[in-house]
Amino acid sequence: MNLPAPKPEQQNPSAVPAAAAAGRSLDTHLRRYAARTAGMTASEIRALFAVASRPEVVSLAGGMPYLAALPLETLSADVAQLLATEGQTALQYGSAQGIPALREQICQIMALEGISAHPDDVTVTVGSQSGLDMVTRIFCDPGDVVVAEAPSYVGALGTFTAYQAEVVHVPLDDEGLIPAELERTLSALAAAGRRVKFLYTIPNFHNPAGVTLAVHRRAEVLEICARHGVLVVEDNPYGMLGFDGQTYPALRSMESENVVYLGSFSKTFAPGLRVGWALAPHAVREKLVLAAESATLCPPTFTQAVVSRYLAQHDWMGQIKTYREVYRERRDAMIGALEAHLPAGCRWTRPDGGFYVWLTVPEGIDTKAMLPRAVTQRVAFVPGTAFFGDGTGNSQLRLSFCYPTPERIREGVRRLATVLEGELELISTFGQVVRRQPTGPQSPSPDTA
Amino acid sequence: MNLPAPKPEQQNPSAVPAAAAAGRSLDTHLRRYAARTAGMTASEIRALFAVASRPEVVSLAGGMPYLAALPLETLSADVAQLLATEGQTALQYGSAQGIPALREQICQIMALEGISAHPDDVTVTVGSQSGLDMVTRIFCDPGDVVVAEAPSYVGALGTFTAYQAEVVHVPLDDEGLIPAELERTLSALAAAGRRVKFLYTIPNFHNPAGVTLAVHRRAEVLEICARHGVLVVEDNPYGMLGFDGQTYPALRSMESENVVYLGSFSKTFAPGLRVGWALAPHAVREKLVLAAESATLCPPTFTQAVVSRYLAQHDWMGQIKTYREVYRERRDAMIGALEAHLPAGCRWTRPDGGFYVWLTVPEGIDTKAMLPRAVTQRVAFVPGTAFFGDGTGNSQLRLSFCYPTPERIREGVRRLATVLEGELELISTFGQVVRRQPTGPQSPSPDTA
């Protein structure tokens, strides 16, 4: 692969040599950083994603929604009217909790998943990532434990790390988080005297695993957490994107006092607006708003107003139906191609919603070590290690089908199959490839790559 | 004053009694919070600001820019075109550092204050508040010291508190921060073995003090901080709003390796977009981007694109000139009214830019205790205590002239004069009013009230 070589003479006076860029030396501020900053390191795969964004590479790595499906012309007219008639309000500071009209509309959306909530308990956030950051900020001291699925969302792991919380994983299977494993893990942590602050879970169309928590497991997960005195943080960006139009009862619909629910318009409308929300028990909501105020004063009024007007004036459910159809076709293309092309020994999940397939490769292949070779063959994915806080995941990888066309997806999977066959050939010739040291999550930012 | 009384029967099932709302009891999650969350308490003056937002009250409290001066019709057409032609990009995820075109434009703006910078070293933030949050996140461990002017920006104090940093104030005078006092304070802190992470300073048209750091003091402040190994965080939201069109050389223009510069479009364009930036030494910038990624993934692409297009297609310098003229007229109205109406013994600053006048009241008057009486007389301000981390400031208050019309400003100052005279009469009749216990900053959110 041809990665751009560093120039011997940097033209940019601010640019520094690669060693300094990696934070290893030459940083005169090193002794000043907070302890938490030691955990903030750029991923070694980040540079690869810059290469992977070239048009000749089929990226099955990113989690970007397919915005060509949006009605941009009518949206444009709407936003123009918003600015012309309500610009003085829409461009002004707002409350840290978010604009009231939008919080009411958010309650109507959550009702579709069985949630009964009052707008007073909703806080609008700068994407649900910011909701996650605020929840972690108010609950986690250094050394506290967050329990999460194995694997879990890379962006969440980055946030937990930024607050020096430790992630302990609980296995999942095709029906999502395994209650018996959750029970076993929480008991072991209690016996070890660890403070577990919350379970972080993505019940629907999991990122990266592609599975959904079975309905019959939901009450059990809630009961186990309540009994252990552990809060449940339910992250649900994909819940409306079930390919057959199915929705599942939210954990929050079954239990209101021990659940913080995080929602987002990034996947059902547009991520560049950065509008998400947190629904929390009243006392927790108060802390969230104070935390949000110190972080950003208020979420952007303008993008909130854009979302509110979109919900009021558009057939937003119809738009979600369009998205579902687009993504179902792409899921079908990916699953079909995996079945047609992948070598024996590969296993993958079959999502009925969302953006992702989770692939387990044959014994001996290291997906992180394989990535540079895959990018050389013009296909990109996210290695499984990104989704674990403990350095495991070398035998897995995430494939996303949200952004490329079905034809590109098929071509990408064909290329991936070639790469995998090459790896298997190497192994049969030379024996198992030496694994790299596991390094855990390092903000590879694959969801925006 | 008629504050709305709590209803005996709450209709909203989520609503809780006032004691719980104040976080004092009934919160079943209390034992779960992080240590930092103990410092997050709602200000007792917050409820007053809800009352102060009624139209019959002249609010001299808020820091809202006067957006009626914006060209909303043409802006509306521009944003419509942006969405119609570039909507798929403008509504998509972006990089955590911000869009490159905007970072280049930001460098051109900073050049107006003598700053030479490369776009690689700029990070776009969700308002400069988020820049401040990220800087504090990467530098401050609990117990670290941040040195700030006395008084200082209330939102900054809230952020430092959220990271459990301690604020130590350094006095200012009509020429801004006093170098000899800075030297004395840093020496005393060093002698006491305290870790000082940075000086937080607002050199131009200070919030709340209204003063500007004299040019002849700037090199001295930089030299003192460098000698003590203390970073300088230069917060400059008002720098372009000098009423005579004057700008001052940024601290960052005189020293690049020991200064983090924070800028904002909130006061020169519109705050509801939440677009600000941080210019930092290269190694620090890398940490900032990683911190920002874990906080929000990326700043809103859409509002960045709106600002970038505005800068490219509008006479944004002409717009700033319009703002300057509006605010100069209001400053004149306020200073004139203060001179005409305020009782003897009051002193105030005379800003030549920005939004604020800092008023010192006669001995014996407690501005925080006075606020409810002022609101009853239909005028609001922010008590001085909000701007100190140590509970002082009872003899001071902040008046803002940015939002109300000159006529309303004059009426507000007349009402304030009546309130002050009433206080003085009480004191001469009954002796000094008993002071409340100082409580320090408590997120009163006056800048958005």
Side-chain angles (χ1 to χ4, degrees):
Chain A
M1 183 178 58
N2 294 314
L3 279 173
K7 294 176 193 157
E9 293 275 333
Q10 295 286 353
Q11 295 306 308
N12 165 12
S14 306
V16 290
R24 288 193 295 271
S25 67
L26 293 190
D27 179 358
T28 55
H29 304 276
L30 261 184
R31 68 194 161 76
R32 291 173 170 166
Y33 293 127
R36 69 175 71 81
T37 308
M40 299 179 191
T41 53
S43 165
E44 58 207 272
I45 66 176
R46 191 181 288 255
L48 277 176
F49 284 113
V51 180
S53 68
R54 293 181 187 167
E56 67 271 23
V57 176
V58 176
S59 177
L60 305 174
M64 301 195 301
Y66 183 67
L67 298 186
L70 277 176
L72 288 177
E73 284 290 341
T74 47
L75 195 59
S76 162
D78 268 5
V79 173
Q81 201 196 3
L82 169 72
L83 270 178
T85 59
E86 296 168 41
Q88 284 189 51
T89 314
L91 295 174
Q92 191 53 274
Y93 286 115
S95 92
Q97 192 177 354
I99 62 179
L102 179 60
R103 290 190 279 114
E104 283 180 25
Q105 291 164 316
I106 284 170
C107 287
Q108 291 161 21
I109 292 171
M110 291 191 294
L112 299 173
E113 294 182 329
I115 293 174
S116 168
H118 193 280
D120 275 359
D121 297 333
V122 173
T123 304
V124 180
T125 58
V126 186
S128 73
Q129 185 73 23
S130 158
L132 196 55
D133 190 65
M134 293 302 113
V135 167
T136 313
R137 181 182 294 213
I138 68 171
F139 284 111
C140 290
D141 285 311
D144 282 351
V145 173
V146 171
V147 171
E149 285 123 358
S152 186
Y153 165 52
V154 57
L157 299 179
T159 299
F160 304 148
T161 303
Y163 286 94
Q164 299 166 276
E166 186 189 330
V167 176
V168 173
H169 289 288
V170 175
L172 47 66
D173 61 19
D174 284 345
E175 296 198 310
L177 189 68
I178 302 170
E181 295 284 347
L182 176 64
E183 172 68 48
R184 193 186 58 73
T185 303
L186 291 181
S187 295
L189 287 164
R194 300 301 301 272
R195 290 172 305 173
V196 181
K197 285 300 173 70
F198 54 81
L199 165 69
Y200 170 73
T201 180
I202 305 166
N204 303 319
F205 319 126
H206 190 274
N207 176 6
V211 300
T212 293
L213 182 62
V215 173
H216 66 88
R217 286 185 177 178
R218 298 190 176 213
E220 200 176 350
V221 166
L222 288 166
E223 185 278 323
I224 292 167
C225 286
R227 184 156 37 77
H228 284 273
V230 169
L231 183 73
V232 175
V233 177
E234 175 179 26
D235 192 4
N236 190 27
Y238 309 100
M240 301 295 291
L241 294 176
F243 299 141
D244 302 314
Q246 76 280 32
T247 55
Y248 298 95
L251 295 169
R252 172 56 177 74
S253 75
M254 307 162 80
E255 158 67 60
S256 60
E257 269 308 302
N258 199 41
V259 176
V260 173
Y261 175 100
L262 302 177
S264 174
F265 290 103
S266 291
K267 275 58 177 198
T268 55
F269 182 21
L273 300 168
R274 309 307 300 123
V275 181
W277 70 90
L279 170 67
H282 198 80
V284 174
R285 190 278 288 162
E286 294 207 321
K287 300 294 187 192
L288 284 179
V289 170
L290 291 167
E293 196 167 86
S294 81
T296 62
L297 287 187
C298 62
T301 320
F302 184 49
T303 57
Q304 292 180 74
V306 168
V307 173
S308 183
R309 178 167 284 241
Y310 170 80
L311 294 171
Q313 303 206 338
H314 280 269
D315 176 17
W316 60 270
M317 276 299 294
Q319 180 61 38
I320 288 177
K321 192 160 172 287
T322 300
Y323 274 135
R324 280 176 186 153
E325 285 162 9
V326 166
Y327 297 135
R328 183 178 53 209
E329 185 189 5
R330 288 164 188 213
R331 184 270 320 258
D332 290 344
M334 178 167 281
I335 296 289
L338 291 170
E339 287 170 350
H341 303 296
L342 252 55
C346 292
R347 289 177 293 120
W348 55 89
T349 55
R350 287 159 199 275
D352 60 351
F355 285 8
Y356 307 109
V357 167
W358 184 241
L359 175 67
T360 304
V361 299
E363 180 67 28
I365 296 178
D366 180 328
T367 57
K368 192 168 176 180
M370 183 177 82
L371 180 60
R373 294 188 282 276
V375 173
T376 310
Q377 303 218 25
R378 294 167 297 128
V379 61
F381 55 83
V382 183
T385 45
F387 306 99
F388 292 85
D390 56 9
T392 58
N394 297 69
S395 293
Q396 281 136 346
L397 58 85
R398 188 188 77 176
L399 298 175
S400 64
F401 50 80
C402 45
Y403 196 73
T405 61
E407 189 40 59
R408 292 274 287 174
I409 289 172
R410 282 186 281 265
E411 176 58 28
V413 172
R414 273 193 293 270
R415 294 175 187 173
L416 179 67
T418 306
V419 176
L420 285 166
E421 277 155 9
E423 298 288 302
L424 288 171
E425 201 172 323
L426 272 176
I427 291 170
S428 78
T429 310
F430 299 106
Q432 182 162 338
V433 178
V434 176
R435 293 202 173 205
R436 296 184 181 200
Q437 285 302 307
T439 50
Q442 291 179 301
S443 302
S445 192
D447 282 326
T448 62
Chain B
M1 183 179 56
N2 294 313
L3 280 173
K7 293 176 193 157
E9 293 274 333
Q10 295 283 356
Q11 295 303 309
N12 163 12
S14 305
V16 289
R24 288 193 295 272
S25 67
L26 292 189
D27 180 357
T28 55
H29 304 277
L30 263 183
R31 68 192 162 73
R32 290 173 172 166
Y33 293 126
R36 71 176 69 84
T37 308
M40 299 179 191
T41 54
S43 164
E44 55 206 276
I45 67 175
R46 189 182 288 257
L48 278 175
F49 284 113
V51 180
S53 69
R54 292 181 187 167
E56 66 271 23
V57 177
V58 176
S59 178
L60 305 175
M64 301 194 301
Y66 183 67
L67 299 186
L70 278 176
L72 289 177
E73 283 292 341
T74 46
L75 195 59
S76 162
D78 268 5
V79 174
Q81 201 196 3
L82 169 71
L83 270 178
T85 59
E86 295 168 42
Q88 284 188 51
T89 312
L91 296 174
Q92 191 54 274
Y93 286 114
S95 93
Q97 192 178 353
I99 63 180
L102 179 59
R103 290 189 280 112
E104 282 179 24
Q105 291 163 316
I106 284 170
C107 288
Q108 291 161 20
I109 292 171
M110 291 190 295
L112 298 173
E113 294 182 328
I115 294 174
S116 166
H118 193 279
D120 274 359
D121 296 332
V122 173
T123 304
V124 181
T125 58
V126 186
S128 73
Q129 185 72 26
S130 160
L132 197 53
D133 191 66
M134 292 303 112
V135 168
T136 314
R137 181 182 294 212
I138 68 170
F139 284 111
C140 289
D141 285 311
D144 282 351
V145 173
V146 172
V147 170
E149 284 123 357
S152 186
Y153 165 51
V154 57
L157 299 180
T159 299
F160 304 147
T161 303
Y163 286 94
Q164 300 166 275
E166 186 189 330
V167 176
V168 173
H169 289 288
V170 175
L172 46 68
D173 61 19
D174 284 345
E175 296 198 312
L177 189 68
I178 303 169
E181 294 285 345
L182 177 64
E183 173 68 49
R184 193 187 58 73
T185 303
L186 291 181
S187 295
L189 287 165
R194 301 298 302 271
R195 290 173 304 174
V196 182
K197 286 301 173 71
F198 54 82
L199 165 69
Y200 170 73
T201 180
I202 306 166
N204 302 320
F205 320 124
H206 190 273
N207 176 7
V211 300
T212 292
L213 182 62
V215 173
H216 65 88
R217 286 186 177 178
R218 297 190 177 214
E220 200 176 350
V221 166
L222 288 166
E223 185 278 323
I224 293 167
C225 286
R227 184 158 34 79
H228 283 273
V230 169
L231 183 73
V232 175
V233 176
E234 175 179 29
D235 191 6
N236 190 27
Y238 308 100
M240 301 295 290
L241 294 176
F243 298 141
D244 302 315
Q246 77 279 36
T247 54
Y248 298 95
L251 295 170
R252 171 56 175 76
S253 74
M254 307 162 79
E255 158 66 61
S256 61
E257 269 308 302
N258 198 41
V259 177
V260 174
Y261 175 99
L262 302 177
S264 174
F265 291 103
S266 291
K267 274 63 177 192
T268 54
F269 181 21
L273 300 168
R274 311 306 299 121
V275 181
W277 71 90
L279 170 67
H282 198 81
V284 174
R285 191 278 288 162
E286 294 206 322
K287 300 294 186 191
L288 284 179
V289 170
L290 291 167
E293 194 166 86
S294 81
T296 61
L297 288 186
C298 62
T301 322
F302 184 48
T303 57
Q304 291 180 76
V306 168
V307 173
S308 181
R309 178 168 284 242
Y310 170 81
L311 294 172
Q313 303 206 336
H314 281 269
D315 176 17
W316 61 271
M317 275 300 294
Q319 178 61 38
I320 289 177
K321 192 159 172 286
T322 300
Y323 274 136
R324 280 176 186 154
E325 284 162 8
V326 166
Y327 297 135
R328 182 178 53 208
E329 186 190 4
R330 289 165 187 214
R331 184 269 320 258
D332 290 344
M334 179 167 280
I335 296 289
L338 291 170
E339 287 169 351
H341 302 296
L342 251 54
C346 291
R347 289 178 292 122
W348 54 88
T349 54
R350 288 158 198 276
D352 61 350
F355 285 8
Y356 308 109
V357 167
W358 184 241
L359 174 66
T360 303
V361 298
E363 180 67 25
I365 295 179
D366 181 329
T367 57
K368 191 168 177 181
M370 184 177 83
L371 180 60
R373 295 189 280 277
V375 173
T376 309
Q377 302 217 26
R378 294 167 297 132
V379 62
F381 57 82
V382 183
T385 46
F387 306 99
F388 291 86
D390 56 10
T392 58
N394 296 71
S395 293
Q396 281 136 348
L397 57 85
R398 188 189 76 178
L399 297 174
S400 64
F401 50 81
C402 45
Y403 195 72
T405 60
E407 189 40 59
R408 294 273 287 173
I409 289 172
R410 283 187 280 265
E411 176 58 28
V413 172
R414 273 194 292 270
R415 293 175 188 173
L416 179 66
T418 306
V419 175
L420 285 166
E421 277 156 8
E423 298 287 303
L424 288 171
E425 201 173 324
L426 271 176
I427 291 171
S428 78
T429 309
F430 299 106
Q432 182 162 341
V433 179
V434 177
R435 294 204 172 201
R436 296 184 182 200
Q437 286 300 311
T439 50
Q442 293 181 299
S443 303
S445 194
D447 281 326
T448 63

